[in-house]
């Protein structure tokens, strides 16, 4: 292991990221309205969304674990339907008070709160009545909800993001996460959802910059994408994926305009993205204080596997090929720390905005038999990615605000699968048995504690 001779800033953020539906539980408590997740049933390989890890009642216990580990940042999500049960109409003061207490509990432990305003859990009413972000009414409802949260919490919460992994709304995943319940999932609808979500982000970002001293950035799910071969068409497809799924949004986050290539594609293919004349006035004002992103893996694209006529937004759905140079997790994700460094460096080189990786980790099946879980694979994953980040900082000159792992206290995965665990702390429940939800630190908990104590200066194994 290479010794680091440089030093990270004293205010560097080390922490944890989660979503509300994967942590809180209490789905019908405290005046909360239903979200689209609350009505999804359990399956053979997933739980329902009613209990999660019961952080609604146990957040103090979890914050104690974070503080003991040395964390100084927690990115959590406000459940829209907990504070605004229908997504429209009156706000729920009991739900707002829950977050007030949660924020104060974090600050009491010297943990900086960072709020995400939407992580796929559309209020069920807005999904059923308006088909989610396919409707501009929902854009307005989101901006109304979000600005109210900024008014309520912006005195204590200075870091904000609107949409978790916003570029997912430019892929087929959009129809699952945007509150879209009915339709033919057309290319027009995909681009309309993506544009409406960007308008919603713009409305909130502009409000924050015009009215507060808070900071806000755009967030992407960033996977490094390689061409499968030197075939020029593979190289073209890899570049187009980055342009359509990443740079198109980064251009708005930083410059207030969409990619010229993407807009030209929309025009040439007669795609109706519902771009109204006044939309420019909203987008042009957008700026970002940082670029946030999640990073778990890289992908490799083979143009030969992509049917002719497929739009770039769907290349990855058709043409992903296994990279023989990388290890693969048991859930099929290819582990690539060097891709992490490359994203940090190339985005910072081009856009010059501080980078903030706010999700990183590896999901693994684990069982608790009463003794400490020796998750050396997780230690290796985080060590290699933290080292890659430090290489980006000290060798490439990237400004990085912090490093937040994903679900570092076990939570159900995005599909509801409790078997796919990311945590340095084990939570004692399964998909279909809540058990006692006891929190038990794994070996990686103590390793990461030491890393944080040394501010990233010592990534070696514990003695």
């Amino acid at each position: 292991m290479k010794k680091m001779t440089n030093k990270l800033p004293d205010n560097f953020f080390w922490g944890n990221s989660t979503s509300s539906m994967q942590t809180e539980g209490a789905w019908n408590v405290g005046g909360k309205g239903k979200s689209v997740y609350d009505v999804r049933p359990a399956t053979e390989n997933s739980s329902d969304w009613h209990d999660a890890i019961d952080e609604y009642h146990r957040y103090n216990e979890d914050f104690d674990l974070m503080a003991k580990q040395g964390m100084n940042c927690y990115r959590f999500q406000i459940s829209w339907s907990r504070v605004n049960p229908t997504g429209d109409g009156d706000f729920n003061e009991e739900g707002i008070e829950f977050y007030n207490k949660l924020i104060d509990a974090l600050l009491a432990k010297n943990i900086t709160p960072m709020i995400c305003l939407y992580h796929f859990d559309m209020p069920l009413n807005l999904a059923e009545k308006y088909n989610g972000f396919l409707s501009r009414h929902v854009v307005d409802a989101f901006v109304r909800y979000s600005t109210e949260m900024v008014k309520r919490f912006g005195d204590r919460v200075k870091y904000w993001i609107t949409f978790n992994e916003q570029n997912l709304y430019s892929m087929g995943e959009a129809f699952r996460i945007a509150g879209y319940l009915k339709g033919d999932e057309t290319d027009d609808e995909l681009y309309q959802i993506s544009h409406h979500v960007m308008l919603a982000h713009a409305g909130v970002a502009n409000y924050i910059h015009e009215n507060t001293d808070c900071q806000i950035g755009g967030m992407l799910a960033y996977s490094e994408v390689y061409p499968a071969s030197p075939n020029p068409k593979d190289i073209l497809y890899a570049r187009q994926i980055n342009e359509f799924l990443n740079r198109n949004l980064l251009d708005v986050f930083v410059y207030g305009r969409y990619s010229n290539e993407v807009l030209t594609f929309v025009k040439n293919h007669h795609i109706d993205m519902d771009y109204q004349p006044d939309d420019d006035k909203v987008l042009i004002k957008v700026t970002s204080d940082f670029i946030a992103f999640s990073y778990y893996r890289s992908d490799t694209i083979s143009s030969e596997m992509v049917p002719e006529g497929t739009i770039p937004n769907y290349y990855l759905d058709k043409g992903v090929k296994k990279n023989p140079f990388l290890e693969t997790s048991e859930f099929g994700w290819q582990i690539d720390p060097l891709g992490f460094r490359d994203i940090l460096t190339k985005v910072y080189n081009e856009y010059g905005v501080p980078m903030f990786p706010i999700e990183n980790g590896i999901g693994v099946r684990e069982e608790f038999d009463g003794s400490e879980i020796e998750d050396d694979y997780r230690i290796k994953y985080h060590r290699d990615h933290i080292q890659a980040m430090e290489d980006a900082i000290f060798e490439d000159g990237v400004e990085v605000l912090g490093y937040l792992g994903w679900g570092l206290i076990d939570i159900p995965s995005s599909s509801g699968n409790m078997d796919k665990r990311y945590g340095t702390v084990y939570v004692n429940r399964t998909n279909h048995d809540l058990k006692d939800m006891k929190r038990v630190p794994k070996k990686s908990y103590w390793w990461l504690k030491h890393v944080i104590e040394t501010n990233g200066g010592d990534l070696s194994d514990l003695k």
Side-chain angles (χ1 to χ4, degrees):
M1 174 55 57
K2 183 168 45 177
K3 284 287 183 184
M4 189 179 81
T5 56
N6 296 281
K7 188 174 182 294
L8 292 170
D10 291 338
N11 61 352
F12 192 82
F13 287 125
W14 296 96
N16 185 24
S17 284
T18 62
S19 75
S20 62
M21 75 277 191
Q22 289 166 278
T23 54
E24 287 177 9
W27 70 288
N28 60 355
V29 170
K32 182 183 180 298
K34 287 182 181 177
S35 82
V36 292
Y37 276 80
D38 294 326
V39 297
R40 291 180 182 170
T43 68
E44 181 183 355
N45 297 310
S46 70
S47 59
D48 63 29
W49 297 93
H50 292 174
D51 299 286
I53 61 167
D54 194 31
E55 191 160 285
Y56 185 86
H57 297 108
R58 303 179 71 147
Y59 63 82
N60 277 309
E61 179 182 0
D62 289 343
F63 295 172
D64 282 342
L65 283 162
M66 293 182 206
K68 185 176 181 180
Q69 202 172 26
M71 290 183 182
N72 60 359
C73 186
Y74 180 43
R75 168 232 160 169
F76 66 94
Q77 181 222 343
I78 292 175
S79 165
W80 186 353
S81 56
R82 189 177 295 285
V83 298
N84 193 200
T86 66
D88 278 331
D90 294 335
F91 286 92
N92 173 31
E93 294 300 327
E94 189 173 351
I96 290 170
E97 183 57 21
F98 165 71
Y99 292 110
N100 262 319
K101 290 177 178 176
L102 185 150
I103 290 163
D104 287 345
L106 286 169
L107 293 171
K109 298 181 189 304
N110 297 312
I111 299 173
T112 297
M114 179 183 193
I115 286 178
C116 173
L117 289 159
Y118 185 83
H119 196 122
F120 315 153
D121 57 340
M122 176 68 62
L124 185 61
N125 172 64
L126 294 180
E128 292 178 337
K129 192 178 290 187
Y130 299 103
N131 223 12
F133 279 108
L134 195 60
S135 165
R136 281 185 177 244
H137 176 88
V138 174
V139 174
D140 294 339
F142 177 80
V143 174
R144 174 178 176 264
Y145 140 69
S146 298
T147 53
E148 183 67 18
M149 295 305 98
V150 174
K151 290 173 186 174
R152 300 291 189 116
F153 306 132
D155 60 328
R156 287 158 292 158
V157 180
K158 299 304 179 183
Y159 294 89
W160 296 77
I161 55 173
T162 49
F163 293 94
N164 180 71
E165 301 179 327
Q166 190 174 329
N167 54 340
L168 297 186
Y169 299 91
S170 300
M171 313 178 199
E173 188 75 0
F175 299 107
R176 190 182 73 83
I177 62 178
Y180 178 98
L181 297 183
K182 53 186 179 292
D184 296 326
E185 300 187 6
T186 65
D187 294 347
D188 285 355
E189 288 180 326
L190 176 67
Y191 273 78
Q192 286 165 19
I193 289 171
S194 177
H195 179 52
H196 290 168
V197 167
M198 183 57 85
L199 289 174
H201 168 81
V204 180
N206 293 344
Y207 174 84
I208 281 177
H209 284 139
E210 291 167 6
N211 296 281
T212 78
D213 63 351
C214 299
Q215 295 190 37
I216 187 168
M219 184 198 172
L220 303 180
Y222 222 128
S223 295
E224 182 82 327
V225 178
Y226 303 113
S229 77
N231 178 347
K233 196 171 183 182
D234 288 355
I235 295 167
L236 171 69
Y237 276 33
R239 187 196 63 74
Q240 286 180 316
I241 288 167
N242 193 41
E243 188 70 23
F244 279 69
L245 301 185
N246 300 317
R247 291 189 71 261
N248 184 47
L249 280 74
L250 289 166
D251 280 0
V252 182
F253 293 154
V254 179
Y255 303 135
R257 54 167 172 74
Y258 287 118
S259 153
N260 176 66
E261 180 181 355
V262 174
L263 289 180
T264 302
F265 179 90
V266 166
K267 180 181 177 182
N268 289 344
H269 289 78
H270 309 291
I271 293 173
D272 176 13
M273 62 183 289
D274 188 36
Y275 204 120
Q276 302 297 326
D278 285 345
D279 293 350
D280 281 336
K281 298 176 184 176
V282 178
L283 297 181
I284 196 65
K285 293 191 291 183
V286 174
T287 59
S288 289
D289 300 296
F290 53 85
I291 297 299
F293 68 104
S294 64
Y295 181 83
Y296 297 96
R297 68 184 196 273
S298 63
D299 292 311
T300 302
I301 188 73
S302 170
S303 60
E304 293 178 354
M305 298 166 60
V306 179
E308 283 298 321
T310 302
I311 65 174
N313 307 72
Y314 292 125
Y315 286 172
L316 286 172
D317 293 343
K318 310 289 187 182
V320 170
K321 192 171 184 178
K322 189 172 182 179
N323 188 331
F325 297 98
L326 297 175
E327 292 181 47
T328 305
S329 78
E330 63 182 295
F331 287 94
W333 290 11
Q334 297 211 267
I335 300 167
D336 183 11
L338 197 57
F340 185 40
R341 174 181 175 178
D342 190 57
I343 287 167
L344 285 163
T345 301
K346 71 184 176 186
V347 175
Y348 186 74
N349 283 352
E350 181 159 1
Y351 293 95
V353 176
M355 302 294 290
F356 199 168
I358 62 172
E359 290 185 25
N360 182 237
I362 183 169
V364 181
R365 297 180 196 274
E366 293 165 326
E367 293 184 8
F368 178 59
D369 63 5
S371 57
E372 183 177 79
I373 293 172
E374 302 222 358
D375 54 342
D376 294 301
Y377 42 83
R378 182 169 291 108
I379 291 172
K380 182 179 189 315
Y381 181 95
H382 284 286
R383 173 196 289 126
D384 291 349
H385 284 78
I386 292 169
Q387 182 64 65
M389 174 189 70
E390 291 178 350
D391 289 345
I393 294 169
F394 299 123
E395 296 184 24
D396 304 340
V398 181
E399 182 180 356
V400 178
L401 298 182
Y403 174 86
L404 309 185
W406 172 253
L408 293 182
I409 297 172
D410 283 347
I411 56 178
S413 73
S414 59
S415 64
N417 185 4
M418 196 68 206
D419 292 338
K420 189 180 185 183
R421 296 174 181 268
Y422 286 84
T424 64
V425 176
Y426 186 88
V427 174
N428 190 34
R429 65 153 292 185
T430 67
N431 279 330
H432 306 123
D433 184 356
L434 296 178
K435 298 188 177 181
D436 60 4
M437 295 207 205
K438 183 180 179 182
R439 275 66 164 157
V440 185
K442 306 172 190 177
K443 182 179 179 181
S444 60
Y445 177 88
W446 307 108
W447 175 82
L448 186 56
K449 175 180 169 68
H450 179 70
V451 170
I452 295 172
E453 283 173 347
T454 66
N455 199 24
D458 184 4
L459 304 182
S460 60
D461 286 327
L462 293 174
K463 300 295 188 287

